[in-house]
Amino acid sequence: MRRRVWLVVLLGSVAALVALSARSRLARRADRIELATARAEVARGAYDRAARRIHRLRIRGESAGEARFLLGRCEEALGRPGRAIEAWEGVPDGSPFDDEADLHRARLLADALGRFAEAEAILGTFPRPGTSDAARERARDLHSRLLRFQGRFGEIRELIRTGWARSPRPSEDLVRHWRLESDPFPSEAIRAVLDEASLEAPGDDRVRLGRAILALREGELAEADRLLGDCLRSSPDDPAVRRAQLDLARAAGDPAGVRSALEALPAHAEDEAWILELRAWLADRLGDDDASRSALDRLLALEPGHPWALERRIERALRDEDGPGASALRARKAEADRARERYRALLSDGADPNEYDALAREAEALGRRFEAEGWTVLALRGDPFLLGARERLERLRARVGPSEGFPPGARLADLVLDGLPAAPGAGEGEGGRAGSPSRSPAPEFSDEAGAAGLAFTFDNGASAARQLPETMAGGVGLLDADGDGRLDVYAIQGGRFPPADHPATSADRLFRNRGDGTFEDATAWAGIDRLPGGYGHGVAVGDVDDDGDPDLFLTRWDSYALLRNRGDGTFEDATEAFGLGGPRGWPTSAAFADLDGDGDLDLYVCHYLQWDPRDPRRCVVEGSGGEPGYCDPRLFPAEPDRLFRNDGGRFVDVTEEAGIVDPDGRGLGVVAADLDGDRLVDLYVANDTTANSLYRNLGGLRFEEVGQASGVAAAADGGYQAGMGVDCGDGDGDGLPDLVVTNFFGEGTTFYRNLGGGQFVDASAGAGLTVATRSRLGFGVAWLDADGDGLLDLAQANGHVNRYPSLPFEMPAQLLIRSDRGRWITPPNGPGSPWEVPRLGRGLARGDLDGDGRPDLVLVGLDGPMAWLRNRSGPGDGHRLVLQLEGTESNRDAVGAVVSVEAGGRNRVGYRIGGGSYQSANAPQLYFGLGENSRAEVVEVSWPSGRIDRFRDLPADAGYRLVEGAPEARPLSITPEAMPGSGPR
């Protein structure tokens, strides 16, 4: 009986289990049907219905992964990103949907929630074992985009290098690898992303890191330092933060900061070339010449075309007085610059498969080994028997990889610092801590143009056709038009473009200085409004007829204009009489100088390119979706510059016979000065997108072009820049004339340091100019001692030429003060409101408009009011000296003269140059800051004629006229009472 009971129970249990299993199978089948239905609903966009359906499911087993993945897609589509991320987090490890869920989660964390750090942690786990090629590629793309949001372009290049072998688009990857380095940094696009992310996730460390990198790119070193400090406090061992710290320290010229970053960085990810470059940089700053020379030589043995190493090795050879060695290195650098230009041209519209082999050759010549190997591999895929390609591939692969001399497991600090002297403490190096000044207070400026009556707006005639001359116009000139000892302002005007075939009378304006800080429009009184007009570009000032009165030379579209000063401040048109009439193409800047030594002023005129206003080429702004824009100048043939000899009242074109030949020039800025110390005035021309030109004066009005041989044709890091404006002065205080050139956005302003004997090196990065200016597109530029301390500060007008979606368009002008540590930096307490106003800056002219001895600036932009940046520096301002030169044996304007002022045991050197800035004319006076010294012990003038005059014991805070051959300095109308340093100190 008991057995039967147990049998019944057992049979009942079995039946129950069978029934339960059947019900479970039916439930699972129903769940699969429901999941399939939900899948179909998601496919047709019925997300709300699908989400409700999935929530009713018993999510378990193998269906759990897909169900949670689909639920996440529904929640995202319904605008609930937090719930979507929760759903994707629930996808089990090992599920077929695991990779997809994590990729979606990372994308949404970054794009919708600003949680960059979490997204990066997920993407850093890819590729995983078993990850499909498609998922691998998507992970790489997402990771690259996230790094781009933060400006971490170096790591994007590493992602490209590690994933290139399996990339479905290898040629695009190689182009992107190049463009990440060569294209302008997309600051506005990155700022917009970071601003949005900061609102969503204000405490995210990766968002903070992106802000630090953006601040560094824009020259805001103190802000970058602060943000990186916050990152390091939360993640002291984060390699990405330490690498940014290293970049910041190098930008600030801070060896101690570099050492600190190196101590925390592993060496495994770095290649030998980068280590050798950093070692050479540090050795230079720590004074170890042998270590610097050795590192540079090893780097050039590894990469013979490395442009930065070539530039620095040239400088080392010149300082070692190894002229032949420097010349040989110059030739190598010139070839590398040309190779870079050829490489850029080949990649300008992507990569043509027919050019893969040519791209490989140019990339190898530039030392771009990864790209060279990649292009070679692609070329061999197209033609396995391509002559020389396999040999190149073997050569490249043999040179890639860690150095044999670097022991495994070494720290980066060990590799870079081995044997170098200890770095000084923070604040004691070349630049000190990031952004820290070495002097105070900052000079003060205010824009007083409107209140002073300088009411002028340059009309560039911007049209839907986007004719290129519209964005390149705009200049201003300072001169004493009426001989009253005060500087007046000449503003050239544009108007409709193209102008009428028979233009109306001039729309230019002359503003007469009343002497009380205000100006009156004297255009009609001076007769300007009755003279022929045209679409104006630039202005130069010079006494062309040697009568003691400044005359005006104007560059206009397809014409020149010479306005002769009658001696009473009124002008007459002397264009035809002086032989300057007729069609003239597209002239830009101009310079007067006595180039043949006969005592009168000759004329050099820059010309840009061949443009047809009746049939203008149509171009679009890249990345704008087809918006019209101003064209790249490289799309048009250059127009040659012109040189005119003054034959006693008539200008004669002697361009070709004088040796001024440059078919690719595209000149925009010119300066005339004796740059090699042989008492002959040379000509330096800033060219747009091509090599800058230096015409060395051989005497007898003969010139030879020596730009490449002298080191002023290209940038230190390779290639030609988009030169705009130029100035000449003793920028580093060594008594030699240096050059400064403004360039395109992303390139930075270039400082060419004169090493003597007509040899220059690009010293921009070490002087702080690259980091301070690379986020600007510079035009007009002027060196000036803004605060009277005897060091030249730098001002430049900025503004873009096109409205790119990812870049700034209007830009503030900049004032950079020279620290006594040899760097130009933004004043620490902010340079003041005039330097914060966005403009489309073009022309910039330097001069003391209010007679107080401080140099002011006049700035002209496109379709905006003229600015008078009046120097209002306060009681801490130094003593000053203002000098005006008058030649007798030399040309009356004394262009080419060199003045040395000795005060307090220190010499300050100034140069009376021709030209300068961008399509603008500076005042003729020279301004010297004397610091705490109340008098100049000796003022020495070396005149173009060869005569040397000395003037002794000149009280400061006054102005003097120095006449060639005169025994005494004559006072100018500037009075000591008007000058800031007068009176008790």
Side-chain angles (χ1 to χ4, degrees), residues 666-939:
R666 300 188 186 91
L668 287 177
V670 58
V671 66
D674 177 9
L675 297 173
D676 55 6
D678 64 357
R679 296 187 179 274
L680 298 174
V681 175
D682 310 301
L683 294 161
Y684 181 71
V685 180
N687 290 317
D688 189 2
T689 71
T690 53
N692 298 326
S693 302
L694 174 55
Y695 295 105
R696 181 171 178 265
N697 195 331
L698 303 176
L701 207 61
R702 292 285 302 168
F703 293 83
E704 102 179 285
E705 205 290 306
V706 295
Q708 293 278 9
S710 296
V712 291
D717 56 359
Y720 308 131
Q721 297 178 310
M724 308 289 184
V726 59
D727 201 6
C728 175
D730 183 9
D732 57 2
D734 65 356
L736 297 172
D738 306 306
L739 294 165
V740 63
V741 182
T742 54
N743 298 296
F744 204 74
F745 186 93
E747 294 176 341
T749 297
T750 307
F751 169 48
Y752 290 111
R753 174 178 287 142
N754 193 332
L755 298 182
Q759 292 294 314
F760 294 77
V761 292
D762 178 353
S764 314
L769 270 190
T770 302
V771 69
T773 60
R774 65 187 170 193
S775 62
R776 302 287 188 269
L777 196 165
F779 279 91
V781 63
W783 262 321
L784 72 163
D785 185 353
D787 53 7
D789 68 348
L791 302 172
L792 286 186
D793 310 306
L794 187 72
Q796 69 179 54
N798 301 308
H800 220 299
V801 295
N802 273 318
R803 194 182 293 274
Y804 292 93
S806 60
L807 304 176
F809 184 49
E810 296 179 325
M811 301 175 182
Q814 285 177 286
L815 175 68
L816 302 172
I817 60 172
R818 178 79 170 178
S819 75
D820 55 15
R821 296 190 183 111
R823 297 173 62 85
W824 281 283
I825 60 174
T826 302
N829 56 345
S833 58
W835 307 100
E836 298 167 358
V837 177
R839 318 174 197 268
L840 293 179
R842 294 299 186 261
L844 183 73
R846 171 189 63 239
D848 177 15
L849 271 66
D850 55 4
D852 64 359
R854 306 183 187 103
D856 309 310
L857 296 158
V858 177
L859 187 153
V860 170
L862 303 183
D863 292 325
M866 173 190 287
W868 173 21
L869 304 181
R870 191 174 186 180
N871 192 336
R872 292 286 197 178
S873 298
D877 199 34
H879 290 284
R880 298 181 180 275
L881 199 67
V882 180
L883 303 178
Q884 182 157 337
L885 308 182
E886 182 179 323
T888 53
E889 298 176 45
S890 306
N891 64 92
R892 186 185 289 266
D893 285 1
V895 174
V898 180
V899 178
S900 173
V901 175
E902 183 179 337
R906 177 177 155 212
N907 275 340
R908 300 147 180 86
V909 180
Y911 306 90
R912 177 68 171 98
I913 66 171
S917 194
Y918 177 80
Q919 300 184 153
S920 298
N922 295 314
Q925 292 83 15
L926 299 179
Y927 303 90
F928 293 89
L930 304 185
E932 297 180 355
N933 303 292
S934 60
R935 60 200 322 100
E937 290 114 36
V938 180
V939 174

Side-chain angles (χ1 to χ4, degrees), residues 532-615:
Y535 187 90
H537 279 278
V539 54
V541 177
D543 183 1
V544 301
D545 53 6
D546 199 34
D547 64 355
D549 304 308
D551 308 301
L552 290 162
F553 175 77
L554 313 177
T555 58
R556 294 170 171 161
W557 171 255
D558 201 27
S559 67
Y560 300 156
L562 181 64
L563 307 187
R564 182 177 175 275
N565 193 326
R566 292 192 177 104
D568 57 0
T570 65
F571 292 83
E572 62 183 2
D573 184 6
T575 310
E576 293 289 345
F578 273 75
L580 296 173
R584 293 292 179 175
W586 187 349
T588 56
S589 292
F592 285 113
D594 181 6
L595 299 172
D596 55 4
D598 65 354
D600 56 22
L601 293 179
D602 308 302
L603 175 64
Y604 188 95
V605 186
C606 293
H607 281 248
Y608 195 38
L609 54 80
Q610 297 176 23
W611 179 265
D612 185 352
R614 306 300 174 187
D615 185 22

Side-chain angles (χ1 to χ4, degrees), residues 186-198:
S187 55
E188 291 304 291
I190 288 176
R191 189 190 320 280
V193 170
L194 292 174
D195 284 348
E196 187 174 347
S198 294

Side-chain angles (χ1 to χ4, degrees), residues 393-413:
L393 190 60
E394 292 175 5
R395 182 169 64 248
L396 289 164
R397 287 176 172 171
R399 293 167 58 191
V400 174
S403 167
E404 297 177 0
F406 294 166
R411 296 180 307 157
L412 188 56

